[in-house]
């Protein structure tokens, strides 16, 4: 899906001012409300916009420990293990990967003891051969997409 300059401006506004109304976005951008709504609908339909909910802090929810747990899985059991991971609330993301493991999970915990309990739960899943854990010490670059949106917009050229 091609993202043009107007799409880029829309996405920037959504990131920078997520609680603004569609009418206000249209006013800021100098486009008709119908044009803006059609663009938003297309961006959602094409999978560019994947959600509109609030960003939540696991730390503020009492889970300040963040770890990345790599899981090595017995061949042929990747889907089963992936399904089992979805039942563990402390796993906030999981990805199939290449390299040193088969799955990479992002895990949050109340403290190091709780993290160990979660890891022990993962090790006991049928199909998990071993795990390797890396504890995050400090976030250096927060999750962000605006620089990517701006780069895509520059590549698209004037619209």
């Amino acid at each position: 899906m091609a993202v043009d300059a107007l799409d880029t401006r829309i996405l920037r506004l959504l990131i920078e001012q997520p609680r603004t109304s569609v009418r206000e976005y249209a006013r800021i951008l100098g486009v008709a409300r119908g044009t803006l709504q059609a663009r938003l609908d297309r961006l959602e339909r094409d999978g560019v916009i994947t959600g509109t909910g609030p960003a939540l802090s696991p730390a503020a929810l009492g889970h300040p420990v963040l770890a990345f747990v790599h899981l090595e899985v017995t061949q042929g059991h990747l889907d089963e293990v992936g399904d089992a991971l979805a039942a563990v609330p402390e796993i906030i993301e999981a990805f199939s990967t290449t390299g040193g493991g088969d799955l990479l999970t992002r895990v949050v915990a109340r403290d190091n003891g709780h993290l160990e309990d979660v890891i022990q739960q993962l090790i006991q899943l049928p199909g998990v051969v071993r795990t390797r854990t890396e504890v995050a010490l400090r976030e250096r670059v927060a999750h962000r997409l605006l620089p990517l949106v701006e780069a895509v917009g520059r590549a698209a050229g004037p619209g």
Side-chain angles (χ1 to χ4, degrees):
M1 114 121 259
V3 174
D4 66 15
L6 179 56
D7 293 332
T8 301
R9 291 174 54 213
I10 291 168
L11 294 170
R12 173 187 265 285
L13 273 177
L14 290 173
I15 291 168
E16 291 180 340
Q17 301 176 36
R19 298 177 68 115
T20 302
S21 70
V22 171
R23 179 176 303 176
E24 182 62 12
Y25 288 144
R27 187 194 65 74
I28 292 168
L29 294 168
V31 299
R33 185 184 180 289
T35 299
L36 178 64
Q37 189 62 60
R39 292 289 185 120
L40 289 171
D41 292 345
R42 181 179 51 81
L43 291 167
E44 286 180 14
R45 187 175 54 253
D46 291 347
V48 175
I49 298 173
T50 59
T52 58
L56 304 177
S57 165
L61 292 170
H63 289 68
V65 176
L66 171 62
F68 300 93
V69 180
H70 303 260
L71 290 88
E72 186 177 320
V73 177
T74 304
Q75 285 188 348
H77 290 85
L78 193 59
D79 288 339
E80 293 170 39
V81 173
D83 291 344
L85 294 177
V88 180
E90 293 86 359
I91 295 180
I92 57 176
E93 288 183 296
F95 301 91
S96 299
T97 62
T98 62
D102 299 302
L103 290 164
L104 173 64
T105 62
R106 196 167 141 212
V107 177
V108 294
R110 293 184 301 271
D111 53 38
N112 287 346
H114 182 220
L115 176 60
E116 182 181 11
D117 294 341
V118 173
I119 294 167
Q120 290 302 318
Q121 182 180 358
L122 298 179
I123 290 170
Q124 294 174 20
L125 293 175
V128 173
V129 176
R130 74 178 45 88
T131 65
R132 186 182 51 143
T133 302
E134 299 166 1
V135 175
L137 300 176
R138 179 179 299 153
E139 182 176 70
R140 299 294 181 165
V141 177
H143 178 79
R144 66 199 182 132
L145 290 172
L146 186 55
L148 178 63
V149 167
E150 291 174 336
V152 168
R154 282 191 300 275

